[in-house]
Structures are given as C-alpha cells and as structure tokens.
Amino acid sequence: MLVASPPKLLVLGFALIILVGAELLTLPIASAAGHSTRWIDALFTATSATCVTGLVVVDTGTYYSTFGQLVILSLIQIGGLGFMTMATLFAVFLKRRISLKERLVLQEALNQSSIEGIVRLVRKVLFYTLCIEAAGAVSFTLRFMFDMSPGRALYYGIFHAVSFFNNAGFDIMGHFRSFTMYVGDPVMNLTAALLIFLGGIGFVVLADLVEYRTKRKLSLHSKVALSMSGLLIAAGAVIIFIFEYTNSLTMGPLSFGEKVLAAFFQSVSPRTAGVNTVDLASLRQATQFILIVLMFIGASPGSTGGGIKTTTFAALIGAVNTMIRGKEDVVMFNYRLAKERVYKALTVTLFALALVMVATMVLSTTEDHQFLMILFEVTSAFGTVGLTMGLTPELTLVGKIIIILMMFIGRLGPLTLSYAIAPKPGRVLYRNAEGKIIIG
C-alpha cells in the first residue's frame, strides 16, 4: 500500500478543498444574479480564497450572494489555518488520537522543525485565531455601525476581520474599492493593520509573545521575525511617504496625518494582506516597485501569509554581511545560524525568483499590459498578497490559469511543492572530489 508523503498530502488536500469550493461557487445560489458562474472564474476565486490571496476576477461584494460570500469566507478560514489544522481540531474535539503520520503532516503545514508539542500548538492556533478575529470583528462592527445598519455592520465586521487576519485581502465593500473610502480613518486603518500584522508574524511568534510574561524571553525565530517585520514596515512606510507625498492622484490631497497613516497602511498591506486605501494604479512607478519587493518578501513562517518569508530574507542579509566582513558564521542575536539554513534560504529565494520570472514572461506574451503591471500581478499572486493594479479582471484564460498556479504554489511554498512532485532520493554511495570556480 502506497502512503503519500506529508508534502503530497498537503498538495492534494489544498487541491481538493479548492475544487470543492469552485463547485460551490458555480451554483446559481452563489451569485447575486442567481445564475451559474463560469467554472474558470469560480476556480480562480476558490484558489484565491483557499490560498488566502485576495485577487478576484469579479467583485466579491456585488457579484456574489450572501451564500457565495460565506463560501469564500469558509475557504479563507480553512486556507489560512490550514486544512490539517482544522482536521486536527475536529479530531481533538472528538477525542481521537492524532497519529504519527498526521503529526508529520502538521509539522510540514505549520513549518515546524519537529513534531514535539505540535498538537498543543494547534490548540493555541485556534485559540489565538478566535480571540484576535473576535476583537477585530468588534472594532470593525462598531465603526461600520456609523455607516450602515447594525446587522449589516456585524456581518461586514466579521467578514473583514477573518479576511484580514488570514491575510486574504477579500473585501465586500463593492466595486473593487477595497478600503479607499477609509484612507484617513484611524480606527479602520489601525484595526486592519493590527489584524494583518498579527496574522503575518506566525503562530509560533504569537505563542512566544503571549508567554513572554512568564518566560521573560523570546526565541531566536521570534526575534528575527519581529525585528525584520518591523524594519520592513518602517522602511516601506518612509519610502512610500516620500515618493507619494506630492502625488495628486494618491496622497497629495491628504492632510499630513492622513499621509502618514496612508503610507503606513500601504507598507503593512504587502505583508500579504491585499488591502489598499489608495489607488495602486495611480502610484508612482518607484512606489509600485517597492511594493513588489515587499510582496516578494511577504510574511513570516508558520503564518497565514506567503512570500519567501521575513526570516529567509534576514538569513540572506546575514550571509551577505558575513561575507563582506570576512567572517565564517552567520550570527543573529548572538546565535550562530546553521549553514543548511542559509542554503535553504538561498534555495527558496532563487526558486521563487525563477517562478516569478517565468510567469511574468508568459503573461507578457498573453496579456496586453505594461510590464510593471504584469510583474506586480505575478508577485502579488506568488506572495498570496492580493494587491492589484487592475489587471486581474482583464486576464485572459491563459493568464487566469498562470495566476491560479502562482497562488497555489505561493500558498504551499515552492519547496513543499518540489518535495511533493520530486522522486524519492536514492542512497548516496560516494562524494565527488572538491573543485574550485571563480565567483564575482
């Protein structure tokens, strides 16, 4: 009897959830007009929701009915937490023993180095998720009540809290507006930014922060993830503020305080959230390129976000710094980083670059749009971000398929997918003689 490896189970599990979601979204009851949605559009939406991306070919708020929106919200929650996490939670509630095989799949899904305490971590994941989403829903609901009825405000509050914490970027504001009408609203901006940040730093980091009062220390992973996330958000906000300060189409007409808020939010959103408060197509090209870089880096490991991850980027920066200083070991917070970690960071980054480059070249031939817009779309899909300059609704059939594949690969991770499809390595019988090449 053939037993699938953990990476294969993850790939098959996510694929099955997407297909089920697509079938549900094709039902007439899922659309506001009461007619069946084209299967490719339903597949695109289901992939975007399950892979917590947020790219949409039709407007979520006006095209889909309440049933369709709830299907999307369910896919977001399952995709954000991971289907194995959800399955484990059901098993725990039913008091069923979690097998070793299931623990190995959970280890792969949560990007952990061992299976020790994995079930305990899953319980924490559910608890933190429910608490944070509930707090976000309350904040959003209270603010939405100034603009709509209490029942509708509650629905909007829950939908956007779940979507933003899971870094999905789906919104139901209508007409592809995202949160542009709240560009100067501190409650909406700060609530959304906090949900995005907490969803993007990873559940291991969240657990570390919650237990800091008793342990009085953070793990190396948490220190690197938090410091790099903070540095990227701060640097991105400053750059966006400078480049867009006088742009009359984006931040120019805003007051100084609103400009600071808008720059901060646009820097947080590429953590893979996909929400924007200014028109991204009207940003200066330099700003759009900065957003591409931030989207490519993405969130932290073990989170609801995508990208190559903040810790991967930190390992690369550390390796470059080590080489420039003529040292041998990559040191972070007085800890030496194992060489295989640096090799893995390099592999992930080059793999991701290759995927983005190939997809961008293909779309450059199938889509009649500017190169930067296409690169922005591909990077957003790979990083499971969901930000767009307006290309998504205009994609051709080939373009939709390419973006679907990029979202799927981005959510699972390029290495997980490669492990799933690669043949099992054979036993190494010998090592080759060492050789030398000239570098640089």
Side-chain angles (χ1 to χ4, degrees):
M1 178 179 172
L2 293 175
V3 180
S5 64
K8 285 183 180 178
L9 284 175
L10 284 179
V11 172
L12 294 174
F14 269 100
L16 180 61
I17 292 168
I18 289 170
L19 292 175
V20 172
E23 287 298 322
L24 290 174
L25 291 176
T26 58
L27 298 175
I29 193 177
S31 70
H35 56 69
S36 297
T37 302
R38 287 199 309 165
W39 197 80
I40 185 64
D41 291 339
L43 178 65
F44 191 102
T45 304
T47 305
S48 183
T50 307
C51 298
V52 290
T53 304
L55 293 174
V56 290
V57 289
V58 294
D59 183 62
T60 309
T62 57
Y63 182 86
Y64 288 106
S65 64
T66 302
F67 174 81
Q69 292 171 2
L70 290 176
V71 170
I72 292 171
L73 193 64
S74 300
L75 293 174
I76 289 171
Q77 190 72 85
I78 294 172
L81 292 179
F83 77 94
M84 272 306 300
T85 303
M86 300 294 288
T88 303
L89 291 172
F90 281 116
V92 170
F93 288 143
L94 295 174
K95 297 183 178 180
R96 185 176 68 82
R97 181 177 174 80
I98 309 301
S99 68
L100 177 61
K101 184 70 175 180
E102 291 168 333
R103 292 170 191 265
L104 290 172
V105 179
L106 280 171
Q107 176 190 348
E108 183 73 26
L110 295 173
N111 203 10
Q112 297 300 295
S113 57
S114 71
I115 62 172
E116 183 181 357
I118 198 73
V119 176
R120 188 165 58 252
L121 177 60
V122 168
R123 291 195 183 99
K124 292 179 180 178
V125 165
L126 176 64
F127 179 74
Y128 298 154
T129 298
L130 292 178
C131 289
I132 295 171
E133 288 178 352
V138 169
S139 180
F140 276 144
T141 299
L142 293 175
R143 176 59 186 84
F144 278 131
M145 285 177 65
F146 288 94
D147 303 327
M148 56 190 74
S149 65
R152 192 180 179 201
L154 177 62
Y155 176 63
Y156 272 49
I158 294 173
F159 188 98
H160 292 101
V162 174
S163 177
F164 293 175
F165 174 73
N166 287 283
N167 280 210
F170 277 84
D171 70 86
I172 50 176
M173 303 310 299
H175 308 291
F176 299 104
R177 292 180 300 172
S178 193
F179 266 33
T180 52
M181 71 288 291
Y182 296 114
V183 62
D185 191 311
V187 174
M188 299 298 279
N189 278 260
L190 295 178
T191 300
L194 187 59
L195 286 169
I196 293 166
F197 178 77
L198 292 176
I201 59 175
F203 294 111
V204 173
V205 179
L206 279 176
D208 256 11
L209 290 175
V210 171
E211 296 168 3
Y212 180 76
R213 294 177 64 181
T214 55
K215 291 184 177 180
R216 306 305 298 176
K217 68 174 183 177
L218 295 174
S219 65
L220 174 62
H221 169 79
S222 295
K223 289 179 181 178
V224 173
L226 288 170
S227 59
M228 185 53 65
S229 296
L231 180 63
L232 289 172
I233 290 173
V238 170
I239 294 172
I240 293 169
F241 181 83
I242 294 172
F243 286 165
E244 297 300 316
Y245 190 87
T246 58
N247 188 346
S248 60
L249 299 176
T250 56
M251 288 166 46
L254 304 178
S255 66
F256 183 83
E258 290 174 336
K259 288 177 181 178
V260 172
L261 195 61
F264 167 72
F265 190 83
Q266 260 56 234
S267 182
V268 172
S269 188
R271 298 265 64 73
T272 80
V275 194
N276 56 286
T277 57
V278 298
D279 181 17
L280 300 181
S282 300
L283 294 171
R284 293 192 168 105
Q285 288 190 349
T287 309
Q288 292 169 348
F289 185 74
I290 287 299
L291 293 183
I292 290 173
V293 174
L294 293 175
M295 289 191 297
F296 184 76
I297 297 171
S300 299
S303 70
T304 57
I308 63 170
K309 303 297 189 295
T310 54
T311 50
T312 301
F313 184 66
L316 294 178
I317 295 298
V320 171
N321 182 53
T322 298
M323 182 62 68
I324 291 175
R325 295 172 58 194
K327 303 290 185 180
E328 183 177 349
D329 296 324
V330 177
V331 178
M332 296 181 179
F333 294 98
N334 298 320
Y335 284 94
R336 174 175 56 85
L337 207 61
K339 283 186 170 57
E340 56 265 25
R341 298 288 176 179
V342 180
Y343 294 154
K344 185 175 182 179
L346 184 61
T347 303
V348 168
T349 304
L350 290 179
F351 206 149
L353 277 173
L355 286 169
V356 170
M357 288 170 59
V358 171
T360 302
M361 285 191 291
V362 173
L363 287 184
S364 295
T365 61
T366 63
E367 315 300 315
D368 186 20
H369 290 279
Q370 294 180 348
F371 175 80
L372 191 62
M373 178 181 282
I374 294 172
L375 177 62
F376 193 100
E377 191 84 5
V378 171
T379 309
S380 178
F382 169 77
T384 68
V385 180
L387 293 176
T388 181
M389 292 165 59
L391 175 60
T392 315
E394 302 176 12
L395 287 170
T396 62
L397 176 61
V398 175
K400 290 177 182 177
I401 294 172
I402 294 298
I403 295 298
I404 286 172
L405 290 174
M406 290 301 292
M407 290 189 292
F408 188 71
I409 295 171
R411 178 63 183 97
L412 288 167
L415 284 186
T416 298
L417 193 64
S418 65
Y419 291 155
I421 62 178
K424 189 175 180 179
R427 182 182 176 186
V428 179
L429 300 178
Y430 63 91
R431 295 180 68 188
N432 296 90
E434 183 178 314
K436 293 183 180 180
I437 61 173
I438 299 174
I439 302 294

